[in-house]
Amino acid sequence: VHGEDHICLSTTHTHTHNLKMLPILFEAGVCDESAPFFGFMGVTAALVFSNLGAAYGTAKSGVGISSMGVMNHEAVMKNIIPVVMAGILGIYGLIISVILVQNVQGNYSSFNGYAHLAAGLSCGLSGLGAGFAIGIVGDAGVRANGIQPKLFVSMVLILIFAEALGLYGLIVGIILSQQTKAC
């Protein structure tokens, strides 16, 4: 019975000690050495995921263009739009990466690191999703357009909405990249 009381008292003491440490952990005046890691991971996430989306969109719609070009070679240049739109996704990731990498310097707080990681992930993963959409729509749309040219406008509208997903991630990434708190 005495040993169990000792364990309970020890656990209570540790719990009380941890509660006293909480304000110190979240204090804005402390610069964590690992904070730049999260900022640089945001830079990496923005560029890598956006480029993965751009690569997938380019490859998938490029296969559709090649297939359609066998049947209707005059329409190849007109149907290059999905490849161009997929390539723009990589530029979105590059923009956020350049903005973020310029901010990772000096007194860099954990708040900044987390905000920059969130900015990179929002832009990068939005670009990845948009790249999947552009690739799938581009592939099927280009093939269908090669057979029925009246589908061109509807294909372009669908591609615009798919590209908008990447643009939303870019906008949120820019907003998040501007969120700073000094340490």
Side-chain angles (χ1 to χ4, degrees), residues 13-29:
H13 175 70
T14 304
H15 182 67
T16 305
H17 179 70
N18 287 342
L19 288 176
K20 290 179 184 176
M21 293 296 292
L22 257 155
I24 294 169
L25 291 174
F26 293 111
E27 188 175 306

Side-chain angles (χ1 to χ4, degrees), residues 21 27 87 92 96 107 145 165:
M21 293 296 292
E27 188 175 306
Y92 293 166
I96 290 294
N107 290 335
N145 188 40
L165 300 174

